[in-house]
Amino acid sequence: MFQCVGLMGTWKLADNTATDFLDLNHWLTMARRCEAAGVDFLFFADDYGYPVVDGGLPATAIRGGVQFPKGDPLAILPALAAVTEKLGLVTTLSTMVEQPPMVARKMATLDHMTNGRIGWNVVTGAGQNASARLFGAAMTGHDQRYEIAADHVDLSLKLWEGCWDEGGLVVDRESGIYADPEKVREIEHYGPHFSSQGVLTVPPGPQRTPMLFQAGASAPGRDLAAKYAEAVFLAAEVGALTEQIADIRRRAQQYGRDPHSIKFLIAGTFIVGATESDAWAIRERQLATRTLDDAAASYAFFTGLDLATMDPDKPLDPSAAKTETGRTNVERFLGPDAPTVRQILEEFQRNSVMGSPFIGDAQQVADQAEATIAATGADGFLVQPDHTGTFDSFIDLIMPELQARGLVQTDRPAMTLRERLLGTGTPHLAADHPGAAYRNGAAAHR
Ligand SMILES: Cc1cc2nc3c(=O)[nH]c(=O)nc-3n(C[C@H](O)[C@H](O)[C@H](O)COP(=O)(O)O)c2cc1C
């Protein structure tokens, strides 16, 4: 399970190829390699934002390539679908930028183009302060963004699940019937933030609703995950991960869902070499590329806070650290053992939003990863790109070790992303998912 954004700085290494991100061949090669290795899916993080300090994109972020520049993953995915048959393709669309009918239409089309291998990572958007300015909109408060997200997903689900019954698409040339009017209908939705009467003009693809992912571990983020997500991306140290997973499962149960139907995937950094000392040498090279300025710009992107204006020897002042941008990376540094601002910067320089990396030879990192899964109750990893900006070291060195331990299955046949990850034997949403309630006319406009 792979993600395609590099952490800050690493692009400076001579053997790093992340700077080829606007060359389609970079992605085609990556997708082919992942598919051949039996990887479950490739994830494209996305966001319109970038770091904002003092009311604009700071020179340090421009110079250092921190959360800047970026491309649009949606333009790349169909090309990847064309050169793969099994690999899942997951991307982010922000509920603050895209209107529900836009998300529904794009994802339904991609569900067809990928033969049911598409997933939507539902986020309210990390670089919210930047994207609000870009779109000329007032910044919406953090918790309200999550209320909007819930309403957004609710309407999107109605469009995917409620407009077309099974068998609605007929295409009978002899009788001249394209689609069955008894089985295609408008839905209606009058939510707190979105109203809609209408039909999704795209017939359902193999999954109908794309597989739903969520990322963002603030309290309302967890609630959104508990209500709608089928898989959740998390990034933290073991203790926090364990707490977050247990909390989201508890919340899912309160929403009437099977808490174990949700898969938790840890954003994992694997630094592997032929020997342990090779791996540490890679780690040292990587760390040498990251400046404290990069760290401050990265922190500003995720939180909207400028650490450079704060006392480096004191912890975050909770009243000064109130933010309407992202909260996960503020909350993780509060509490009884809170680090100082300088320590936060140093931690961000080392690992940014990720937990500590696994470092060593293949056996050592596999041991560390196994221990993390056992301690947290997570289901797997969203592997981060290595120092080359690819997943080659993971594929070449770690996959064989995981395969030998029976922890990954690399020869599975083609199937939908939902079947691949959830293993429930159906390409569709589970019966206890709120989207299932909108089937067969339940969300109809009457
Ligand atoms: C592995 C992982 C991937 C993420 N991908 C995205 C992404 O593509 N776009 C985005 O805006 N936020 C992404 N996030 C979430 C942000 O880091 C951030 O937490 C969130 O957007 C803000 O919500 P919060 O206040 O709940 O933290 C990701 C988080 C994790 C752990």
Side-chain angles (χ1 to χ4, degrees), residues 8-349:
M8 59 202 172
T10 312
W11 63 267
K12 294 171 199 163
L13 296 174
D15 46 355
N16 186 282
T17 58
T19 48
D20 295 339
F21 73 99
L22 291 175
D23 177 349
L24 188 55
N25 280 317
H26 173 73
W27 301 112
L28 294 176
T29 303
M30 185 181 285
R32 286 190 180 110
R33 283 192 189 156
C34 288
E35 165 126 325
V39 164
D40 289 323
F41 68 86
L42 200 53
F43 169 55
F44 287 76
D46 193 35
D47 190 61
Y48 273 90
Y50 46 80
V52 171
V53 175
D54 286 340
L57 172 61
T60 49
I62 301 175
R63 208 179 293 120
V66 181
Q67 291 292 338
F68 170 91
K70 302 175 182 178
D72 190 332
L74 231 60
I76 303 170
L77 293 183
L80 304 191
V83 298
T84 54
E85 286 174 2
K86 300 178 182 176
L87 184 70
L89 297 167
V90 181
T91 194
T92 300
L93 290 174
S94 161
T95 50
M96 292 305 292
V97 172
E98 309 266 349
Q99 296 285 309
M102 297 165 75
V103 171
R105 194 168 80 130
K106 289 175 191 185
M107 284 288 154
T109 305
L110 281 168
D111 199 37
H112 287 278
M113 300 296 137
T114 61
N115 288 326
R117 294 182 285 138
I118 195 72
W120 174 29
N121 180 32
V122 184
V123 302
T124 56
Q128 195 59 219
N129 46 1
S131 99
R133 288 173 73 239
L134 182 66
F135 284 89
M139 179 139 152
T140 309
H142 177 273
D143 293 2
Q144 197 188 359
R145 290 203 298 276
Y146 275 106
E147 288 167 21
I148 293 171
D151 196 23
H152 188 303
V153 177
D154 200 30
L155 169 51
S156 302
L157 285 168
K158 284 184 185 170
L159 291 166
W160 286 315
E161 299 290 329
C163 291
W164 294 74
D165 291 350
E166 290 302 317
L169 185 65
V170 180
V171 195
D172 184 334
R173 290 191 166 80
E174 278 186 16
S175 61
I177 297 177
Y178 203 95
D180 181 350
E182 297 290 313
K183 294 182 174 174
V184 180
R185 64 182 68 83
E186 291 197 339
I187 55 93
E188 62 184 9
H189 180 87
Y190 305 109
H193 302 281
F194 298 100
S195 290
S196 173
Q197 285 181 6
V199 67
L200 175 64
T201 53
V202 189
Q207 300 182 111
R208 250 177 199 275
T209 294
M211 184 164 169
L212 297 174
F213 295 71
Q214 186 274 349
S218 62
R222 297 178 194 194
D223 216 54
L224 185 74
K227 199 165 185 189
Y228 296 115
E230 300 172 278
V232 179
F233 296 143
L234 296 171
E237 300 297 341
V238 166
L241 288 169
T242 310
E243 186 272 321
Q244 289 169 12
I245 292 170
D247 183 41
I248 295 171
R249 288 212 162 109
R250 199 163 37 240
R251 290 170 192 253
Q253 196 153 26
Q254 281 166 3
Y255 283 118
R257 296 181 65 200
D258 172 3
H260 292 281
S261 66
I262 304 176
K263 301 290 179 199
F264 291 91
L265 306 177
I266 303 170
T269 308
F270 292 80
I271 301 178
V272 64
T275 64
E276 184 181 1
S277 63
D278 286 356
W280 279 103
I282 294 169
R283 175 64 166 166
E284 292 309 317
R285 284 173 64 213
Q286 197 182 49
L287 288 179
T289 65
R290 298 178 186 161
T291 67
L292 284 174
D293 281 347
D294 290 346
S298 175
Y299 195 80
F301 169 73
F302 285 102
T303 64
L305 299 178
D306 182 7
L307 293 180
T309 61
M310 301 181 192
D311 184 340
D313 296 316
K314 292 209 173 115
L316 285 176
D317 170 358
S319 63
K322 282 214 172 75
T323 180
E324 295 302 327
T325 307
R327 294 222 177 118
T328 302
N329 289 288
V330 178
E331 288 164 2
R332 72 182 258 217
F333 295 122
L334 298 175
D337 299 320
T340 64
V341 164
R342 191 193 314 278
Q343 288 168 329
I344 296 173
L345 265 176
E346 287 166 356
E347 174 57 21
F348 247 65
Q349 184 182 18

